[in-house]
Amino acid sequence: MEKIKLEFPDGTVKEFAKETTTEEIAKSISTSLAKKAVAGRLNGELIDYEFPLVEDGKIEIITKETAEGLRILWHTAALVLGAALQELYPTMNFGEVQETAHGFYLDTDNAQGQVAETDFEKITQKMKAIVKQNVPVKAAVLSQAAALKLVADDPYTTELIKETGKYQVLVHRLGDFVDVSQTPTLSQTSSIKVFQLLSVAGAYWKGASSNPMLQRVYGTAFFKQKELETELQRRQEARERDHRVIGNELDLFFVDPKVGAGLPYWMPKGATIRRTIERYIIDKEVSRGYEHVYTPVLANLDLYKQSGHWDHYREDMFPPMDMGDGEMLELRPMNCPSHIQIYNHHIRSYRDLPLRIAELGMMHRYEKSGALTGLSRVREMTLNDGHTFVAPDQIEEEFKQTLQLMVSVYADFDIKDYRFRLSYRDPKNTHKYFDDDEMWEKSQKMLKSAMDDLGLDYFEAEGEAAFYGPKLDVQTKTALGGEETLSTIQLDFLLPEKFDLHYIGADGEEHRPVMIHRGIVSTMERFTAYLTEIYKGAFPTWLAPQQVTIIPVKNELHEEYCKQLRDRLVAHQIRVEIDSRNEKMGYKVRQAQVNKVPYTLVVGDKEVAENGVSVRRYGEKQMTNATAAGFINEILADIESYSRPNK
């Protein structure tokens, strides 16, 4: 009998009969492992539990407790959904099956009527019946022709099979439902103990607005009921923190499809938050030696060809505009080439370095319609961008200073849940990067040394560097439990070469500078979305679009004093409004809380007589008394400390 050799994670090597399955291997190790196992990983690739193994390699048993095990459960649940829908709606076609960060989705199309959430009860019952019947999920490798024959009536699955470009295609079948994704599945539906359908949403086929609109059905599944309950609680919290929901409730921004997807309108309150952030970061950077500039949002296409953006990011750029005289203009996708033009406008000396150039630079990226989300993914954005030109021996010190600026900004916004990632090139795949081994070795060690000198914790990630140099990324936890890069510092040895940048050294000779890209608070759009979700819409006083609401107990008796008080606050640049609507006082106080205004001031006879105010802070039930002057001092101190009393 032909044998294969398999190496286990502990280094042990064992022989098995060829075409042994992961299931049989798990049973040979222990009964308890076999009960927990759901798939295998051979030579780095996930494989189905009952799929025959035909080659030597490194084997790993995937169990329910792992992230991969949960992903396999989600994929199987999506197939059960597909099988249920096919039984209920025989004319339905199917698009992509995908696992998400917390579940799965299945794209559907039905000419006789799309799936609605009101159908969920009926669909769930059909799914439960399939689970109860313990229908097997069959995996097989078919020729492309055979696979296409299985789905001949479904144009979307047909397209997915053809796109593989492979003669042989891995398919999973559950009843008459056919899936061509590469993710393994559980071998039987009875393993799906707990699942729930969540929502539906429109989604363009392949994310392109020129394609048909499909109906995306979302769901999730778990091995235990408690895990589902935890996930549903997380989703409720996510809904409450969703910046799109809060943005609508507080009237911060909107997107009008008649104007264009991914092009947000900032309403007065949202614009106030953005303007406050912009003024803050400009003042902060100017105090650290940055020179702020304005550069055009359009540039000649040749500029981006020279920088390499046209070659590397063409798919993310808008089509060039033909000006009719041979000139092609491009909406800029990056600000770096513009700042290089600023550097090159004068002859630079070593005495000019470091030269720190910064801008709130508007950029445009062609994002697919399906990827656009509120303010966090848009097509027009304004980046808090900066580029520093340094001599090679200034890199480490400038890196430290930039990092200290970042940490200072995070403290002012009370951002605490983040970690540092040093991103290096992939040593096994160096052809993707700027070709200078000595530069890479030296610069990576330099960044690591700087982090060690500052005593900051970090983790290292090979393969995450930019193509032109290593970088430091600040990975922040979002309010919804995810992680995203909020800030970055990137070393660039390539663009100074491409644009032939020089400075005159102390020796009178020309030398090549190094360029440091850095973004402190990302784009205004993404940062505002991030803060909205972190603060749950209750912005700290210094950022709040409306900082004070003044409520007269009786308009005819107390409104004049309220106006005088408002004028005193406005003189200190405090954002304040008087609520003199013909409504009960209690209602107006509650509305101020709903609108998350940091301070509500109630003015009646006593306050007028004593030149005082009754103060209620957001989130508190009790009111306190203060003099008008005392309250003004209190709120000014609140703003001055960035709303952190312990500062």
Side-chain angles (χ1 to χ4, degrees):
M1 183 181 294
E2 198 170 348
K3 299 281 188 179
I4 56 172
K5 290 183 179 180
L6 299 176
E7 180 182 343
F8 290 83
D10 64 358
T12 303
V13 177
K14 293 184 179 180
E15 283 193 342
F16 294 89
K18 191 175 182 179
E19 297 194 352
T20 296
T21 65
T22 303
E23 180 182 22
E24 291 168 337
I25 294 171
K27 286 179 178 178
S28 73
I29 297 172
S30 73
T31 303
S32 60
L33 177 62
K35 288 180 179 179
K36 294 187 294 183
V38 294
R41 182 186 283 116
L42 181 66
N43 295 328
E45 290 194 13
L46 288 173
I47 50 175
D48 285 275
Y49 198 42
E50 296 182 347
F51 211 74
L53 308 180
V54 296
E55 61 181 3
D56 298 343
K58 294 184 177 181
I59 186 74
E60 182 181 351
I61 309 298
I62 305 300
T63 62
K64 296 176 181 179
E65 292 86 359
T66 64
E68 291 96 336
L70 197 54
R71 178 183 164 200
I72 289 165
L73 171 66
W74 288 336
H75 194 82
T76 311
L79 268 59
V80 173
L81 169 61
L85 290 172
Q86 194 158 59
E87 284 192 41
L88 292 169
Y89 310 99
T91 61
M92 182 169 282
N93 292 320
F94 298 93
E96 292 181 311
V97 178
Q98 280 288 351
E99 310 84 54
T100 66
H102 301 281
F104 61 86
Y105 68 74
L106 172 62
D107 285 345
T108 67
D109 190 21
N110 189 15
Q112 297 181 5
Q114 300 285 34
V115 175
E117 292 185 18
T118 51
D119 300 322
F120 278 3
E121 179 60 31
K122 175 176 62 176
I123 298 168
T124 299
Q125 291 307 315
K126 178 60 70 174
M127 291 175 69
K128 286 181 177 179
I130 293 171
V131 169
K132 188 175 181 180
Q133 292 165 16
N134 196 20
V135 180
V137 183
K138 298 176 181 178
V141 176
L142 304 178
S143 68
Q144 187 182 92
L148 287 171
K149 188 175 180 180
L150 279 178
V151 298
D153 295 330
D154 191 324
Y156 304 112
T157 310
T158 295
E159 187 175 335
L160 290 173
I161 292 173
K162 289 180 177 178
E163 280 183 350
T164 65
K166 297 178 180 178
Y167 173 73
Q168 291 187 316
V169 181
L170 173 65
V171 301
H172 290 90
R173 298 179 65 182
L174 201 170
D176 291 330
F177 182 76
V178 178
D179 170 52
V180 294
S181 306
Q182 296 301 300
T183 306
T185 65
L186 303 175
S187 56
Q188 294 178 317
T189 59
S190 61
S191 301
I192 304 174
K193 305 298 184 185
V194 184
F195 67 89
Q196 183 161 325
L197 298 181
L198 299 168
S199 62
V200 296
Y204 289 112
W205 173 236
K206 299 295 183 65
S209 57
S210 57
N211 287 337
M213 173 72 78
L214 307 186
Q215 188 78 324
R216 182 165 289 177
V217 185
Y218 288 92
T220 192
F222 291 92
F223 290 106
K224 297 178 181 177
Q225 178 66 30
K226 188 175 180 180
E227 293 171 342
L228 174 62
E229 291 169 1
T230 300
E231 171 60 14
L232 294 179
Q233 185 177 359
R234 187 202 68 79
R235 286 178 179 271
Q236 178 60 31
E237 176 71 10
R239 280 191 290 272
E240 292 175 1
R241 289 187 181 272
D242 190 324
H243 79 276
R244 294 166 296 179
V245 175
I246 295 171
N248 181 59
E249 291 172 347
L250 299 184
D251 199 23
L252 304 181
F253 75 96
F254 70 91
V255 178
D256 188 341
K258 291 181 291 186
V259 174
L263 302 172
Y265 281 75
W266 295 78
M267 295 298 284
K269 290 182 178 179
T272 297
I273 295 168
R274 172 174 171 163
R275 184 170 59 252
T276 304
I277 296 169
E278 289 177 343
R279 288 173 175 171
Y280 163 85
I281 198 65
I282 289 174
D283 289 346
K284 195 86 170 177
E285 289 174 343
V286 168
S287 72
R288 300 292 184 107
Y290 284 88
E291 299 182 63
H292 263 260
V293 300
Y294 295 98
T295 58
V297 73
L298 287 168
N300 192 297
L301 180 61
D302 290 341
L303 187 68
Y304 301 111
K305 288 182 176 180
Q306 184 177 357
S307 68
H309 290 108
W310 183 248
D311 290 335
H312 286 273
Y313 303 111
R314 186 182 310 182
E315 292 184 358
D316 297 322
M317 296 169 66
F318 278 91
M321 292 174 274
D322 188 342
M323 304 309 292
D325 57 359
E327 184 180 31
M328 302 292 287
L329 292 183
E330 177 68 32
L331 282 167
R332 68 175 172 195
M334 303 280 189
N335 301 311
C336 346
S338 300
H339 292 181
I340 286 173
Q341 301 309 304
I342 296 278
Y343 180 91
N344 253 348
H345 189 61
H346 296 297
I347 296 173
R348 303 294 179 177
S349 160
Y350 71 95
R351 294 186 180 90
D352 299 325
L353 307 183
L355 178 63
R356 304 181 182 99
I357 298 171
E359 179 179 11
L360 294 177
M362 182 180 288
M363 309 183 306
H364 292 80
R365 307 268 178 89
Y366 178 69
E367 297 274 6
K368 291 183 177 179
S369 298
L372 300 171
T373 308
L375 291 177
S376 57
R377 288 290 290 273
V378 292
R379 286 176 171 163
E380 178 184 274
M381 65 217 74
T382 300
L383 181 64
N384 163 229
D385 210 356
H387 297 91
T388 304
F389 299 87
V390 298
D393 61 359
Q394 295 173 326
I395 292 175
E396 188 167 344
E397 180 58 31
E398 187 63 23
F399 176 82
K400 289 180 182 178
Q401 289 195 29
T402 307
L403 186 54
Q404 287 166 346
L405 170 60
M406 261 182 199
V407 172
S408 170
V409 170
Y410 279 30
D412 289 342
F413 283 95
D414 204 23
I415 298 171
K416 299 173 182 175
D417 202 351
Y418 62 90
R419 58 185 186 146
F420 296 108
R421 179 181 73 188
L422 282 180
S423 298
Y424 304 145
R425 70 171 176 172
D426 184 350
K428 299 175 184 176
N429 194 13
T430 58
H431 72 275
K432 295 195 314 181
Y433 304 93
F434 179 48
D435 185 19
D436 188 333
D437 291 343
E438 183 181 354
M439 175 281 288
W440 280 97
E441 290 299 320
K442 184 177 179 180
S443 58
Q444 289 178 177
K445 287 179 181 178
M446 197 178 293
L447 296 193
K448 181 177 173 62
S449 174
M451 293 296 289
D452 291 337
D453 287 349
L454 291 169
L456 295 170
D457 291 331
Y458 59 90
F459 69 102
E460 298 167 293
E462 291 182 343
E464 294 295 330
F467 72 93
Y468 47 71
K471 59 179 179 170
L472 172 79
D473 294 319
V474 183
Q475 302 297 108
T476 55
K477 278 287 182 69
T478 67
L480 310 185
E483 187 176 71
E484 64 181 26
T485 301
L486 185 61
S487 307
T488 185
I489 310 174
Q490 304 175 359
L491 300 190
D492 186 349
F493 297 81
L494 179 59
L495 284 184
E497 291 257 356
K498 283 181 172 288
F499 285 90
D500 194 24
L501 301 186
H502 296 98
Y503 66 92
I504 306 302
D507 58 1
E509 299 295 325
E510 287 187 342
H511 298 271
R512 183 85 70 205
V514 177
M515 190 173 176
I516 301 178
H517 306 247
R518 45 104 290 191
I520 304 297
V521 295
S522 185
T523 67
M524 294 300 104
E525 290 76 12
R526 178 170 285 187
F527 193 54
T528 302
Y530 170 77
L531 293 178
T532 301
E533 294 181 352
I534 290 293
Y535 298 140
K536 212 171 181 178
F539 291 91
T541 307
W542 75 282
L543 266 180
Q546 182 182 334
Q547 296 165 324
V548 179
T549 292
I550 304 176
I551 301 174
V553 175
K554 292 183 178 180
N555 290 345
E556 64 274 15
L557 298 177
H558 311 125
E559 190 174 8
E560 185 58 36
Y561 175 77
C562 290
K563 291 178 179 177
Q564 294 171 12
L565 181 58
R566 177 196 60 195
D567 292 345
R568 292 177 66 181
L569 291 167
V570 169
H572 289 284
Q573 298 184 328
I574 295 167
R575 299 183 284 274
V576 55
E577 291 183 12
I578 299 173
D579 189 347
S580 56
R581 293 175 298 165
N582 189 25
E583 300 283 357
K584 291 182 179 179
M585 186 188 73
Y587 172 80
K588 291 192 282 188
V589 170
R590 286 192 297 275
Q591 279 300 109
Q593 294 290 297
V594 168
N595 292 330
K596 307 189 180 191
V597 180
Y599 290 95
T600 301
L601 306 183
V602 176
V603 172
D605 291 340
K606 180 182 177 183
E607 287 75 26
V608 172
E610 298 178 357
N611 194 24
V613 289
S614 289
V615 185
R616 179 172 173 176
R617 279 177 169 264
Y618 172 74
E620 296 180 1
K621 294 182 178 179
Q622 299 299 319
M623 302 197 80
T624 59
N625 297 319
T627 64
F631 170 73
I632 290 172
N633 288 335
E634 177 186 348
I635 191 172
L636 288 175
D638 186 351
I639 294 168
E640 178 66 25
S641 67
Y642 299 108
S643 303
R644 290 179 290 118
N646 60 344
K647 180 167 178 172

